[in-house]
Amino acid sequence: MDSPIDFFDSLPDPRIDRTRLHELKDIIFITIAAVLSGCEDWNDIELYGKAKESWLKTFLKLPHGIPSHDTFNRVFAAIDPGALEKCFVEWVQQVAKISEGQIVSIDGKRLCNSGADGKKSIIHMVSAWSNANNMVLGQLKVGDKSNEITAIPALLEVLELKGCIITIDAMGCQRQIAETIIDKGADYILALKGNQGHLLDDVTEAFKETAVGLKHTDMQQEVSHGRVEKRSCRVMDDLEWVCKKEEWKNLKSIVSIETERYHKHNGKTEQEVRYYISSLPADAAKLNAAIREHWGIENHLHWSLDVVFGEDQSQKRAGNAAQNFSIITRVALNIIKNDKKSKISMKNKRHKAGWDNNYLLNLISMKI
C-alpha cells in the first residue's frame, strides 16, 4: 500500500522563504510519526523528535535540527486545511477499495476543547467512514456560521462514491443531500426525525395503518456486552402514504426499525422505534444490516478518536491548527486500524510504534 507521506509532497508551504528553517516534509513526517507513537500535542511532538533525532537524521534533512513546539504549532496553524484535506483524500482513494453496495456512514463530531477556554468557537467536523475498509474516507469542517446540512454535500462532492450506500443520521435528511447522493451514483438511507415537516408523521402513520401483513420484514438478534438486542425491520415500497414524495430524488422505500434491548445485569428491557427513507428497493434484510452498520462510525471512529487519541482533550486553538491536527490524527487512525499483523490493542500499537523504529517505518510505509 502507498505511504501517506508521498501524498503530502504537493502541499503548498504557507511560510515565506526567510522563515523556512525546517523542511515542510520533515515537519509533516515527524508529526505523523509522533502521533502514531502516542503524542497528542505540540510539546509531545517536539520531545519525540528530540528523542529520535539521531535516527530521524538518517533519512530526513533536518537542516536546523528538530523544530520547536512553537514551530510545529505555527506551521499547522498556517497550512491551508483544504489543501491538507485534499492530500488526505487522494491518499485514501489510492489505498481504499470501494466496492458496489459498500456502506459509507457520514456523521459529525465536535472537537470539544478546540475553542477559546475550551468553550467558544468549538470546531465541528463531518467525517465519512467505511467499515469495509476500516478507514476515514474524508472529513470537512462545518463552517462557523453554518451546520452539517451545508457541510455534508460539500464532503460528498470530493469523495468517490459510485455504487455505495450512504447512511446519515437525521440532520442529513435533506432533499439537497439526497439529490447530491443520487447524482454521485450512490444510494441513500436517511434517518427521520421531526425536522422535515410532516414527513415523519406520514411514515409513522403508514406503518401504523399497515401493522400486519407486510411482506418485506427481517429480524436480527445480537448478544454482546451483557445484553440481548433484537432489531425488527419492516419496509414499505407503497409510497402513497408519503406527501410530496416526488421531492425526494429516487425515493423507493420507507423503513421502520424496532429495537428491543434486554440488559442481563439488571433485567431491564428498552424499546425504541426509528424510521428511515431510502433510494434502495424494499429489501428488509439488506436495509436492516446497512442501518446497523451505520453505527460503526460511532464505535470505530468517534470512540477511537476520543479514547485512543484523546481528541476531546485537545486544546489546539491557533489558526487552522485544530482542524489540521485532526486530519493528521485520522491519517494515524487509518494506518493503525489497517495493521492486521499485530494482534494487540490500538493503544499498544501506538506504544510499540514509539519503542520500535522498524515497526513505525512499516506502519508509515503501509507494509502491514
Side-chain angles (χ1 to χ4, degrees):
M1 300 176 76
D2 295 295
S3 168
I5 300 297
D6 298 333
F7 288 82
F8 292 112
D9 283 342
S10 61
L11 183 67
D13 194 327
R15 301 168 295 173
I16 59 176
D17 289 342
R18 63 182 176 82
T19 65
R20 295 182 186 181
L21 299 180
H22 305 279
E23 298 282 337
L24 182 61
K25 191 169 184 178
D26 289 354
I27 291 173
I28 298 291
F29 183 95
I30 294 170
T31 303
I32 292 176
V35 172
L36 279 169
S37 301
C39 297
E40 296 177 355
D41 60 36
W42 308 121
N43 289 295
D44 288 352
I45 293 170
E46 179 187 354
L47 290 171
Y48 171 86
K50 289 181 176 178
K52 298 280 187 176
E53 185 170 3
S54 297
W55 173 68
L56 290 168
K57 281 184 174 179
T58 63
F59 53 88
L60 298 181
K61 293 182 179 179
L62 299 178
H64 296 278
I66 300 297
S68 69
H69 61 275
D70 284 335
T71 298
F72 282 109
N73 190 9
R74 283 196 301 269
V75 171
F76 275 94
I79 288 173
D80 176 8
L84 190 66
E85 175 65 23
K86 182 173 182 289
C87 296
F88 173 75
V89 171
E90 288 174 352
W91 167 61
V92 170
Q93 290 178 346
Q94 185 68 29
V95 300
K97 306 300 179 185
I98 304 297
S99 56
E100 189 81 15
Q102 182 172 313
I103 309 298
V104 174
S105 305
I106 294 179
D107 197 13
K109 181 182 183 298
R110 296 192 309 169
L111 278 62
C112 291
N113 286 309
S114 56
D117 300 323
K119 296 178 181 178
K120 300 178 182 178
S121 304
I122 293 173
I123 291 176
H124 194 118
M125 307 297 296
V126 173
S127 298
W129 171 260
S130 165
N131 265 351
N133 288 289
N134 221 11
M135 275 192 163
V136 183
L137 301 181
Q139 71 168 26
L140 197 68
K141 179 186 174 185
V142 176
D144 294 337
K145 296 183 179 180
S146 64
N147 55 34
E148 291 182 22
I149 295 172
T150 56
I152 290 172
L155 176 60
L156 291 168
E157 288 294 344
V158 302
L159 300 176
E160 292 293 335
L161 298 170
K162 187 175 182 180
C164 294
I165 299 169
I166 312 302
T167 63
I168 314 177
D169 65 12
M171 176 62 80
C173 189
Q174 305 289 330
R175 295 172 180 82
Q176 178 196 358
I177 291 173
E179 182 174 351
T180 301
I181 291 170
I182 296 301
D183 291 346
K184 294 286 289 186
D187 283 294
Y188 59 79
I189 303 174
L190 306 178
L192 271 179
K193 285 190 178 176
N195 62 335
Q196 277 300 329
H198 298 291
L199 181 58
L200 177 60
D201 294 336
D202 292 346
V203 173
T204 303
E205 186 69 15
F207 282 103
K208 180 179 178 181
E209 294 299 323
T210 55
V212 294
L214 285 178
K215 62 180 179 178
H216 303 292
T217 63
D218 178 68
M219 198 278 284
Q220 298 178 5
Q221 180 170 300
E222 182 179 320
V223 180
S224 65
H225 304 294
R227 71 183 185 187
V228 179
E229 181 171 297
K230 295 180 181 179
R231 295 182 298 277
S232 299
C233 178
R234 297 184 298 151
V235 185
M236 294 178 60
D237 51 13
D238 177 5
L239 302 180
E240 292 305 313
W241 296 90
V242 180
C243 298
K244 299 181 180 180
K245 55 184 176 294
E246 67 282 350
E247 295 183 1
W248 295 89
K249 192 166 185 177
N250 281 28
L251 176 61
K252 294 179 182 176
S253 59
I254 57 178
V255 186
S256 166
I257 300 283
E258 298 180 19
T259 304
E260 180 181 285
R261 298 184 188 93
Y262 170 70
H263 298 270
K264 294 180 180 180
H265 70 282
N266 59 16
K268 291 185 177 180
T269 299
E270 299 172 348
Q271 293 180 320
E272 181 184 18
V273 182
R274 303 188 306 275
Y275 297 99
Y276 301 82
I277 61 172
S278 178
S279 62
L280 293 168
D283 183 331
K286 183 176 182 178
L287 286 159
N288 203 0
I291 290 167
R292 173 60 176 166
E293 190 170 330
H294 173 79
W295 299 108
I297 195 168
E298 286 287 346
N299 300 331
H300 300 296
L301 174 57
H302 296 167
W303 183 90
S304 297
L305 290 171
D306 288 340
V307 176
V308 180
F309 287 88
E311 185 169 76
D312 269 357
Q313 304 306 312
S314 172
Q315 296 187 7
K316 303 167 190 68
R317 300 166 189 164
N320 300 314
Q323 184 177 353
N324 286 329
F325 196 87
S326 76
I327 296 173
I328 298 297
T329 300
R330 283 152 180 77
V331 171
L333 177 75
N334 281 354
I335 290 173
I336 287 178
K337 278 190 169 289
N338 280 275
D339 173 19
K340 302 298 192 297
K341 292 181 180 178
S342 298
K343 305 301 181 183
I344 54 178
S345 69
M346 292 181 63
K347 183 177 180 180
N348 283 333
K349 286 179 183 179
R350 296 184 79 193
H351 288 322
K352 184 177 179 180
W355 298 328
D356 186 337
N357 293 337
N358 289 330
Y359 176 67
L360 174 65
L361 285 180
N362 282 333
L363 285 178
I364 291 178
S365 63
M366 299 296 281
K367 293 178 181 178
I368 48 182

